[in-house]
Amino acid sequence: MRELLQLNLGFFTKSCLVLGFLCGIHLIVALFFYLSESPLKFMSYRQILPFSDIFNSQTHKTAVFGIQNGTGTEVDEKKWIYTNRSDVKDDVVLESCPETSPLLVGPLRVEFSDPVNLDMVRKNNPQLLMGGRYKPSDCVALQKVAIIIPFRNRGEHLKYWLYYLHPILQRQQLDYGIYVIQQDGEDTFNRAKLLNVGYAEALKEYDYDCFIFSDVDIVPMDDRNTYKCSSQPRHLSVSMDKFGFRLPYKQYFGGVSAMSKEQFQKINGFPNNYWGWGGEDDDIFNRLVFRGMKISRPSGDIGKCRMIRHSRDKKNEPNPQRFKRINHTRQTMNTDGIKSLIYKVIDIEKDQLYSKITVDIGKP
Ligand code: UDP
Ligand code: MN
């Protein structure tokens, strides 16, 4: 019995050794075939850059529009490819962002009752660079957009604007910067002149091709309302809560609007001499029409937005001259505008969330 057991054990040990040997050979053969089948795999891994490198290559303007490789405009799932896959190069060519961002979520909840503070907004938006600047890291934005906000004594509203807009603008895959143009002193407010200043100051910093002019108290309720320019000047705040979610009148161009550099230059910018509340937006509308342009708008559904409730500010009383002035746009627009703009920069404050430029724009 014992002999039988010893015989069996010896046979068992031998079988194990043979099996182990066969497994080893199998592993070596499998590894050999795996390596010889796809040597490029390993070269490709080397080409995958860390996030920060992709971002830097874009900020240093090595990124270009479109893709060039052997097969034309082939796109891989990572949204970036190499000029030549067989070439091992460090420079990554980013593809341009899609016409419609895949990051959009549609209708948004917008409330102005929750407490908001700037530190919280900074923490929520870690990708922002100084001056409230941003650009997508995985594609080249279709437009370079400067967002201009006329401002004085509206810190509370600015917090909400930044809180809601920064995430939206990032989801819209824009290359953008925020310019808060603060009127210095206590004289009568002049919204349109501040917007002209914002245009001029933003262009000193970066080669923007699109300008969004936005009141500080208006927040879109749908991120499909993209803050970018189109072939015609675009009115974005088309369906505001304060007007019962409809246009107050057909020619209304107030609140939030978008204009390309060419469109803005074609109308000699905005009027500089509307002091106090009202009329400047109608003057801008007239300018666009007199230069043969039409207003484009999103649908009422997508264009819904909320305005933070407020009373009329001091030193921004309704301008009694506004009716007379908008009757003379055709004559005044050639001499009064961006070409005749005079102002003095008093201070520039750069924050992670915005550039705040304080300016002396004179008085009426
Ligand atoms: N504004 C400001 N401080 C003022 C007056 C106006 O910052 O003292 C700016 C602010 O961006 C505001 C915009 O100018 O949203 C338009 O003024 P307002 O909100 O009074 O216009 P309305 O609500 O009647 O459209
Ligand atoms: Mn308002």
Side-chain angles (χ1 to χ4, degrees):
M1 184 67 187
R2 192 187 293 164
E3 265 169 28
L4 195 68
L5 210 66
Q6 270 176 348
L7 196 74
N8 274 351
L9 259 181
F11 179 72
F12 183 71
T13 318
K14 274 179 196 157
S15 305
C16 278
L17 277 172
V18 170
L19 203 70
F21 181 70
L22 285 176
C23 278
I25 290 188
H26 181 84
L27 253 173
I28 289 166
V29 170
L31 198 68
F32 173 78
F33 276 106
Y34 183 69
L35 287 174
S36 59
E37 174 225 351
S38 174
L40 270 179
K41 261 183 206 156
F42 295 89
M43 284 156 91
S44 301
Y45 287 147
R46 268 202 286 158
Q47 286 176 314
I48 295 178
L49 298 179
F51 173 83
S52 59
D53 284 2
I54 294 175
F55 192 80
N56 285 339
S57 76
Q58 206 184 355
T59 40
H60 293 123
K61 297 192 180 177
T62 51
V64 296
F65 278 83
I67 308 296
Q68 282 166 1
N69 66 357
T71 54
T73 54
E74 194 183 286
V75 169
D76 84 352
E77 71 223 359
K78 283 238 155 63
K79 295 207 171 185
W80 52 277
I81 59 168
Y82 326 110
T83 40
N84 185 343
R85 282 186 76 90
S86 60
D87 259 15
V88 185
K89 281 182 187 161
D90 276 334
D91 48 336
V92 171
V93 177
L94 287 177
E95 186 194 344
S96 55
C97 299
E99 196 48 47
T100 306
S101 165
L103 309 174
L104 302 180
V105 298
L108 308 167
R109 174 190 164 275
V110 177
E111 297 288 342
F112 303 117
S113 45
D114 319 344
V116 161
N117 68 66
L118 289 183
D119 271 337
M120 170 180 157
V121 184
R122 288 186 194 102
K123 275 207 197 89
N124 289 350
N125 297 277
Q127 319 255 47
L128 295 180
L129 302 176
M130 256 338 178
R133 296 282 299 271
Y134 173 84
K135 60 172 107 182
S137 56
D138 55 354
C139 59
V140 180
L142 297 177
Q143 295 187 9
K144 291 174 273 187
V145 185
I147 297 165
I148 319 284
I149 302 174
F151 184 84
R152 187 168 69 185
N153 289 336
R154 295 279 197 108
E156 265 313 298
H157 294 182
L158 183 60
K159 277 187 220 164
Y160 282 105
W161 192 94
L162 296 165
Y163 173 73
Y164 281 115
L165 263 296
H166 269 306
I168 293 175
L169 297 167
Q170 287 166 69
R171 286 203 299 277
Q172 294 181 345
Q173 298 188 307
L174 303 170
D175 176 357
Y176 73 87
I178 308 294
Y179 297 85
V180 177
I181 313 298
Q182 170 162 259
Q183 181 171 339
D184 190 41
E186 303 295 315
D187 287 305
T188 307
F189 197 71
N190 188 331
R191 177 178 179 269
K193 188 166 184 181
L194 290 170
L195 296 178
N196 273 343
V197 172
Y199 170 89
E201 288 297 312
L203 273 182
K204 282 184 192 169
E205 191 171 278
Y206 191 47
D207 183 24
Y208 290 106
D209 40 41
C210 173
F211 298 82
I212 306 285
F213 304 99
S214 174
D215 283 1
V216 72
D217 51 16
I218 299 179
V219 173
M221 295 171 72
D222 194 308
D223 62 8
R224 289 171 295 173
N225 192 0
T226 314
Y227 276 36
K228 70 178 188 195
C229 292
S230 35
S231 56
Q232 292 294 319
R234 194 161 167 89
H235 185 224
L236 300 174
S237 53
V238 298
S239 178
M240 272 161 73
D241 56 351
K242 77 160 176 173
F243 297 128
F245 293 110
R246 61 167 76 97
L247 276 180
Y249 52 96
K250 224 179 135 227
Q251 298 84 352
Y252 178 63
F253 199 63
V256 189
S257 57
M259 248 175 258
S260 69
K261 193 174 170 187
E262 288 69 35
Q263 290 158 0
F264 187 86
Q265 283 172 349
K266 212 167 164 185
I267 61 169
N268 187 21
F270 296 162
N272 295 305
N273 60 359
Y274 281 75
W275 299 90
W277 183 90
E280 86 293 346
D281 45 0
D282 299 321
D283 190 287
I284 297 165
F285 178 86
N286 288 345
R287 287 173 182 236
L288 296 170
V289 172
F290 292 146
R291 287 292 173 272
M293 291 184 269
K294 288 199 170 73
I295 308 299
S296 93
R297 291 193 170 102
S299 69
D301 191 28
I302 287 177
K304 277 174 119 183
C305 39
R306 284 204 193 287
M307 191 191 85
I308 307 174
R309 295 271 152 189
H310 63 82
S311 48
R312 178 92 7 105
D313 305 87
K314 283 191 200 109
K315 288 294 186 176
N316 194 28
E317 283 78 31
N319 173 10
Q321 295 178 357
R322 64 189 188 282
F323 306 106
K324 199 183 81 196
R325 288 208 190 282
I326 55 181
N327 278 327
H328 292 93
T329 307
R330 197 191 282 276
Q331 294 85 54
T332 53
M333 67 179 289
N334 298 314
T335 48
D336 176 28
I338 193 71
K339 284 190 258 172
S340 58
L341 174 68
I342 296 173
Y343 64 95
K344 200 174 142 209
V345 174
I346 304 290
D347 182 51
I348 300 183
E349 176 201 341
K350 291 268 178 199
D351 187 279
Q352 180 192 330
L353 300 175
Y354 53 76
S355 296
K356 190 185 271 175
I357 305 178
T358 306
V359 283
D360 178 356
I361 54 168
K363 50 177 113 184

